Every structure is written in structure tokens, then in C-alpha cells.
């Protein structure tokens, strides 16, 4: 599995250059040796640019990275918490201070944070959608009620308009009748009642 390394044992792991010559031994806890080996096999010597060739700080940083990878490996996506990712970011920042190449881990952490944030956003949106749906249904019922009232009102208006039109016609006819009668009466008032008869 670790064919690109010259040494893999309980004391640590040794990276090798392209010629196969050992470059640097990184002593880490036995439980983290295989994880560090897998990381270096995949991403190369992540401590190549570290100004500390060895020592407790470097070991501590490498172990934190390995522990973070192991913890991440043990989780399912639905078990991810923002607090875990925040802790992972802290580990990444610490490793970056020591010039460890953990861009690959930061990229994955960014992807996971985006996904987790998306899940949280979706949960909030579902709550909002439920509220919006309830409001929409309530407003739809209100609209239907007002539409029914409007239809009844329009029907009543039409009835009143018909009554007004009918009464207006009656008034017009009455005015015409009054005008005719008044005209005839005026003729008799101005002239003799036997005018034209004799």
C-alpha cells in the first residue's frame, strides 16, 4: 500500500524523493502512521515547505491533521456538524501557519461547509415554505370569500340598476304625460271653452 515510502513503522513515516532516497522522518503516534502514509501517498510530502525540519511542533501539527482526517473519515454526511467543521478549520489554519500543504483538506472542508450550510438553509426554507403555504391558503380562502361577496354585490347592483332604469322610464313617461296635459290645459285657459265650436 505504501510503495512510495522507504519506511513505515510504529515510530513514524519517512517520505522519499523521486530517486527513492529518504528525505525526512516524521515521527507520529502509531495509530496515525497509516493515515499519514495515505496522505503523503496522495498529496506528496505535505511538510516539504515547513521551516521546522523536525520537532514537537511539526509532529503536533502532523498529528492534528491526521486526527482530523481520521475523524472526518469516521463520519457520515448526515452526522456532520458546523462545530466539527469549525474545529477542522482551526486545525487547517494551524497547519498552514507551519507551511504544511493542507490545501486539499481546506478545499474539502470548504465543500463540506457549503453543503452543510445548504442543508441548514434548506431546513429553514422548508419552515418558511410551510408558513408561506399556510398564509397563501388563508389568503386564497379570503379571496374566494370576497369574490363571493363581490358576485352577490354585483348581482344586487344589477338589480338596483334595473329598478332605477324602470323607474326612470316611468318618470319620463309621467313627465311626458304631465307636459301633454299641461299643454292642453294652457290652451283652454287662454281661450274660450267654446273656441272653434261657434
Amino acid at each position: 500500500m505504501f510503495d512510495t515510502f522507504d519506511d513505515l513503522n510504529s515510530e513514524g513515516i519517512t517520505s522519499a524523493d523521486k530517486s527513492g532516497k529518504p528525505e525526512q522522518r516524521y515521527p507520529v503516534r502509531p495509530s496515525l502512521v497509516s493515515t499519514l502514509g495515505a496522505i503523503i501517498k496522495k498529496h506528496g510530502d505535505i511538510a516539504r515547505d515547513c521551516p521546522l525540519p523536525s520537532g514537537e511542533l511539526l509532529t503536533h501539527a502532523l498529528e492534528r491533521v491526521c486526527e482530523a482526517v481520521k475523524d472526518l473519515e469516521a463520519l457520515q454526511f448526515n452526522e456532520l456538524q458546523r462545530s466539527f467543521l469549525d474545529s477542522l478549520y482551526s486545525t487547517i489554519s494551524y497547519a498552514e501557519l507551519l507551511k504544511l500543504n493542507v490545501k486539499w483538506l481546506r478545499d474539502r472542508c470548504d465543500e463540506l461547509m457549503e453543503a452543510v450550510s445548504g442543508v441548514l438553509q434548506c431546513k429553514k426554507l422548508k419552515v418558511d415554505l410551510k408558513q408561506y403555504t399556510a398564509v397563501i391558503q388563508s389568503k386564497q380562502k379570503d379571496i374566494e370569500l370576497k369574490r363571493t361577496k363581490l358576485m352577490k354585490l354585483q348581482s344586487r347592483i344589477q338589480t338596483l340598476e334595473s329598478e332605477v332604469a324602470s323607474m326612470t322610464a316611468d318618470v319620463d313617461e309621467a313627465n311626458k304625460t304631465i307636459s301633454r296635459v299641461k299643454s292642453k290645459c294652457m290652451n283652454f285657459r287662454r281661450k274660450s271653452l267654446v273656441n272653434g265650436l261657434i
Side-chain angles (χ1 to χ4, degrees):
M1 177 179 179
F2 303 106
D3 54 346
T4 60
F5 308 113
D6 291 288
D7 187 30
L8 176 62
N9 54 42
S10 62
E11 295 180 355
I13 187 166
T14 300
S15 66
D17 62 17
K18 294 181 179 179
S19 66
K21 181 180 179 181
E23 289 183 337
Q24 180 65 53
R25 174 177 293 278
Y26 301 128
V28 294
R29 294 196 303 273
S31 61
L32 301 176
V33 169
S34 61
T35 301
L36 181 58
I39 290 172
I40 293 178
K41 181 177 181 180
K42 177 69 176 180
H43 303 286
D45 185 359
I46 65 172
R48 183 183 304 277
D49 298 325
C50 179
L52 303 174
S54 61
E56 292 183 3
L57 282 178
L58 176 58
T59 297
H60 178 63
L62 288 171
E63 288 183 343
R64 283 187 62 175
V65 171
C66 291
E67 287 170 349
V69 171
K70 285 190 69 173
D71 290 342
L72 188 60
E73 185 179 20
L75 290 175
Q76 297 296 321
F77 178 72
N78 58 1
E79 298 174 325
L80 273 179
Q81 300 289 331
R82 289 286 296 267
S83 57
F84 173 81
L85 293 176
D86 288 339
S87 176
L88 184 55
Y89 273 125
S90 177
T91 295
I92 292 169
S93 295
Y94 178 74
E96 288 173 339
L97 285 176
L98 295 181
K99 304 298 182 183
L100 298 186
N101 174 24
V102 287
K103 183 181 182 301
W104 49 276
L105 187 56
R106 178 173 287 279
D107 289 345
R108 178 55 54 87
C109 194
D110 288 343
E111 293 173 350
L112 292 173
M113 182 63 81
E114 182 179 359
V116 169
S117 296
V119 170
L120 295 176
Q121 182 183 18
C122 286
K123 288 181 179 179
K124 182 180 182 303
L125 287 175
K126 286 181 179 180
V127 173
D128 291 342
L129 285 175
K130 187 175 181 180
Q131 295 175 344
Y132 291 156
T133 300
V135 171
I136 289 171
Q137 290 175 345
S138 176
K139 290 186 179 298
Q140 285 177 333
K141 290 180 181 178
D142 192 36
I143 290 171
E144 290 301 320
L145 181 61
K146 284 180 169 52
R147 183 175 285 120
T148 300
K149 290 181 178 180
L150 178 61
M151 291 175 63
K152 290 181 179 179
L153 184 59
Q154 288 175 332
S155 176
R156 178 58 180 159
I157 289 172
Q158 289 176 350
T159 299
L160 290 173
E161 287 177 339
S162 296
E163 291 175 356
V164 168
S166 177
M167 292 175 69
T168 299
D170 291 343
V171 168
D172 289 343
E173 186 61 33
N175 284 329
K176 289 179 182 178
T177 299
I178 291 171
S179 180
R180 287 196 303 269
V181 171
K182 182 185 273 190
S183 177
K184 287 183 179 181
C185 290
M186 289 299 292
N187 286 333
F188 285 121
R189 285 177 182 174
R190 292 174 183 173
K191 299 176 183 179
S192 171
L193 296 181
V194 292
N195 181 45
L197 294 179
I198 55 176

